[in-house]
């Protein structure tokens, strides 16, 4: 099936800046797809640290379990990702495939297999033809380049209609550092993890523990705050690699003031990638930001936002350009978090449509209707309980979603 | 919008048997709809007891809160239901509307307002024109009949494409009793409550406490085990009335062996109504039963079943007649309950497609494909942990759902 590029795709796709100490190679290995690249090899210079956030699915795939083990030792020398086959629900044979890939990449990178990270995305429940991945690895390593980020972002795509990339020049203290990243994902998108796959690298010098302390909250505010369909993949993986080439002074604590700007830039980069995933949501025609305030806690606000963002009735109303705030109220109610029905307030496109638990009398429907016709929808809900707030992003639910998903394997 | 009758509708719709002590009247009051009945008045003879299960939404409507208060006293003399306007999110004015309706019906039924139960279903956030409901009540009472159940089931419909009814002859000890019921609901269907509205009456003589002890587990196994879209209404209400006219010997404990058959029949009647709601699921083209075994507990099994039943990816696969068990594994994983990936087993239409966490080698796809083409799909999942089991029912997710819900208010 040939799916047109999402109408929400960015006008220009950014080519990520090279990151010193990271070399990338891609190849068409025929894992499942024909006539396109489907394997990515990334090589990291010695001394590279790593942090990660992985799916909490109870049926997570063998590659995810491999990464979880690797993260405990905190260093990385290689990453191998294939698209087309998720190597999930493949039993002991799936585990062997991951080990084969890790061993082959370790030989190429001259490191221990534990320093190799492995991901797979695509169909569930089919054995991975891992020899097709391992055999070309030496040749791929020989041609790996620092400037191959765009090819890398394309190689990891499945139902994505555009590659997802981001890059930012940051600094730690006075030392310039680079952050570059890529992501893939368009369906099965919901916390945790929403991504399905995202890889970010920086030339900053940061211990793995600091890297992890920066990554976890940034993932919560980005990939764990988006939803396309409430479905959670068995393969979701976010990894952050730091090569140390920038030569910034040592940092041993994530609260170090020297990290202030780096933190902000990392958060912005992850948010950009997460938004791109939503904007490529299967069948999406509108991008929706849901701001929840007045909740009992930040966590409660996020749960309420996700209840709204996952509601098929809210999402179909948005597809129909219908400012149906009654369905938003319904979704708040089902979130299971405290809400004061009679103090609730809702704004759509900045215009109050409900206040004090009632429709705003004679509110001007014209600007609201005009807002609902746009590509970017803004919903703000105050639930009248406390001071917790959160923002969640989603897309609408259209015929396109049904087209793509009622026909995926055929 | 004119929606055709669901292809899953029963071939014949059962006319419920009259229940001694219950009289019904309907009327076209123009609450919102034109040219159709939209108000139901039910009158119960003195001595009628009542039990109920209500939505746990945090934004439940004024009528639901009224019913919750009424249930604490356990007796019922009247029920008023309107369709077209849910009287939800209407603040103090919504509360006044309920009180007006209860007072008017109490005058007609010659009872305290607390013995009047009130429901409303339809659009959220609009004020209810309650005078249109209260003024005709005396005339409606004058023409109320014991044999008007089918008209009653029609008057409470909203987006339903067929009326939902059930009736059963039961017995308590040696005394014959009748159970008759009706329900409405086709979207916004998910626990709790799934219904949106269901009313069952019996001529059995049972104290309110016994009635409630019978109703709660029966609701869990029926209305709280179905899902159309995971959305929970602000108005969901299930009420069970017992007039006592059958003259069975007194029962004071729900565990009384004299109730064995009555329990079974009540459960079957509620399950029939709940299944009809799913079969009228918005846009539904297939009815899906999901049997979960091997879970840590009954509750865990139900949560896993609902995670599968609410998964848009599973539901679109079923719409596309695709036996995509990989998506079932994904949904099991996101349920948050224990599951052993490597002991999981899945049968579709009775045919094992996965065992021991792996695709069954060379299983015969033809009968599975034939089963997926049918109207009734049967999925069995064993998650390999314990002995908890549950069954959940849902429907597929089709273009019809988008058609109906992207266009509801226009």
């Amino acid at each position: 099936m040939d799916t047109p590029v999402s109408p929400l795709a960015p006008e220009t796709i950014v080519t990520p800046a090279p990151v010193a100490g990271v070399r990338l190679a891609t190849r068409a290995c025929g894992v499942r797809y024909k006539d396109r690249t489907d394997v990515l090899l990334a090589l990291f210079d010695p001394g590279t640290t790593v942090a990660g956030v992985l799916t909490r699915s109870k049926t997570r795939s063998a590659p995810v379990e491999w990464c979880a083990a690797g993260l405990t030792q905190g260093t990385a020398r290689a990453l191998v990702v294939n698209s087309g086959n998720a190597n999930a629900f493949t039993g002991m044979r799936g585990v062997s495939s991951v080990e084969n890939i890790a061993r082959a990449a370790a030989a190429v990178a001259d490191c221990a297999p534990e320093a190799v990270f492995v991901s797979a995305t695509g169909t569930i429940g089919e054995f991975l033809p891992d020899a097709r991945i391992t055999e070309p690895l030496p040749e791929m390593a020989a041609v790996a380049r620092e400037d191959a980020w765009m090819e890398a972002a394309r190689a990891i795509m499945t139902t994505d209609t555009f590659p997802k990339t981001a890059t930012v020049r940051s600094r730690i203290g006075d030392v310039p550092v680079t952050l570059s990243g890529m992501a893939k994902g368009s369906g099965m998108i919901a916390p945790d993890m929403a991504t399905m796959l995202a890889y970010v690298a920086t030339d900053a010098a940061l211990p793995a523990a600091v890297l992890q302390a920066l990554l976890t909250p940034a993932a919560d505010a980005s990939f764990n705050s988006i939803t396309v369909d409430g479905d959670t993949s068995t393969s979701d993986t976010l990894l952050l690699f730091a090569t140390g080439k920038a030569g910034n002074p040592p940092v041993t604590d994530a609260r170090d003031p020297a990290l202030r700007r780096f933190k902000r830039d990392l958060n912005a980069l992850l948010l950009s990638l997460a938004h791109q995933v939503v904007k490529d949501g299967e069948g999406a025609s509108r991008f929706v930001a849901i701001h929840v305030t007045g909740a009992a806690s930040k966590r409660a606000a996020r749960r309420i936002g996700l209840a709204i963002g996952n509601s098929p009735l809210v999402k179909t109303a948005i597809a129909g350009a219908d400012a149906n705030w009654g369905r938003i109220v319904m979704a708040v109610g089902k979130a299971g978090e405290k809400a004061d029905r009679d103090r609730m307030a809702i704004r759509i496109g900045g215009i109050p449509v409900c206040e004090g638990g009632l429709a705003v009398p004679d509110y001007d429907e014209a600007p609201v209707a005009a807002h609902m016709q746009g590509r970017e929808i803004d919903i703000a809900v105050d639930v009248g309980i406390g001071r917790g707030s959160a923002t969640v992003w989603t897309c609408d639910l259209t015929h396109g979603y049904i087209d793509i998903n009622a026909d995926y394997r055929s």
Side-chain angles (χ1 to χ4, degrees), chain A:
Chain A
M1 191 174 46
D2 227 18
T3 310
V5 172
S6 168
L8 305 175
E11 283 184 29
T12 53
I13 292 167
V14 173
T15 300
V19 174
V22 181
R23 289 174 300 131
L24 305 155
T26 63
R27 188 157 171 139
C29 295
V31 173
R32 179 187 180 88
Y33 303 122
K34 308 285 169 215
D35 306 321
R36 57 155 279 194
T37 56
D38 56 359
V39 174
L40 162 66
L41 169 68
L43 296 171
F44 306 105
D45 280 5
T48 297
T49 56
V50 62
V53 177
L54 306 170
T55 184
R56 283 189 279 192
S57 166
K58 304 291 178 185
T59 56
R60 61 190 193 171
S61 66
V64 172
E65 299 201 328
W66 177 268
C67 289
L71 284 171
T72 61
Q73 50 82 42
T75 66
R77 292 295 311 283
L79 165 71
V80 181
V81 186
N82 76 270
S83 55
N85 181 323
N87 190 18
F89 212 49
T90 44
M92 283 315 296
R93 206 163 132 187
V95 175
S96 295
S97 286
V98 174
E99 290 169 355
N100 291 344
I101 292 168
R103 268 197 304 268
V108 159
D110 191 22
C111 67
E114 292 68 34
V116 176
F117 288 76
V118 179
S119 296
T121 174
T123 303
I124 296 177
E126 293 181 8
F127 294 122
L128 185 66
D130 54 77
R132 290 187 208 166
I133 297 167
T134 53
E135 282 165 14
L137 285 179
E139 282 180 32
M140 291 175 71
V143 298
R145 310 185 330 262
E146 281 198 348
D147 64 351
W149 279 86
M150 187 63 90
E151 288 121 283
R154 287 191 187 280
I156 64 174
M157 289 167 60
T158 56
T159 55
D160 306 61
T161 72
F162 61 89
K164 290 151 195 77
T165 59
T167 193
V168 61
R169 303 283 183 186
S170 186
R171 54 178 64 240
I172 293 179
D174 291 332
V175 179
V177 300
T178 297
L179 282 152
S180 285
M182 64 183 120
K184 65 80 52 182
S186 62
M188 251 195 222
I189 299 299
D192 318 74
M193 278 283 299
T195 165
M196 314 164 51
L197 302 181
Y199 308 99
V200 179
T202 177
D203 52 358
L206 293 168
V210 172
L211 217 52
Q212 188 67 51
L214 297 174
L215 185 63
T216 300
D220 276 343
S222 56
F223 289 109
N224 284 335
S225 292
I226 63 172
T227 180
V228 168
D229 53 16
D231 276 340
T232 304
S233 155
T234 52
S235 308
D236 297 333
T237 299
L238 164 63
L239 296 173
L240 171 59
F241 303 94
T243 64
K245 298 287 178 190
N248 53 281
V251 174
T252 56
D253 187 328
R255 290 163 300 185
D256 190 322
L259 288 175
R260 195 172 302 146
R261 178 162 161 195
F262 184 83
K263 263 185 204 172
R264 197 187 62 202
D265 289 335
L266 173 65
N267 290 358
L269 180 130
L270 291 183
L271 196 57
S272 166
L273 290 174
H275 284 186
Q276 290 177 60
V277 169
V278 173
K279 288 180 177 177
D280 206 6
E282 289 172 339
S285 76
R286 299 185 212 283
F287 178 73
V288 187
I290 301 163
H291 313 284
V292 178
T293 54
S297 66
K298 188 182 189 64
R299 192 169 164 277
R302 189 148 65 113
R303 274 191 71 191
I304 291 170
L306 288 169
I308 299 169
N310 277 325
S311 161
L313 286 169
V314 170
K315 291 158 82 82
T316 47
I318 293 170
D322 177 5
N324 193 325
W325 54 268
R327 294 184 183 176
I328 297 171
V329 176
M330 174 280 299
V332 171
K334 79 166 179 167
E337 297 290 346
K338 277 188 198 161
D340 186 335
R341 189 191 68 195
D342 297 330
R343 294 183 65 189
M344 211 178 292
I346 299 176
R347 282 175 293 132
I348 296 178
I351 296 156
V353 296
C354 308
E355 277 172 357
L358 289 172
V360 172
D362 305 318
Y363 78 85
D364 188 359
E365 289 198 25
V368 175
H371 180 75
M372 294 303 298
Q373 294 288 345
R375 285 284 183 212
E376 305 223 343
I377 306 298
D378 196 273
I379 295 172
V381 181
D382 192 290
V383 299
I385 291 288
R387 299 181 64 177
S389 67
T391 300
V392 161
W393 296 271
T394 189
C395 56
D396 54 349
L397 174 58
T398 70
H399 286 294
Y401 185 85
I402 312 282
D403 283 336
I404 294 167
N405 287 301
D407 199 35
Y408 178 74
R409 296 208 309 182
S410 55

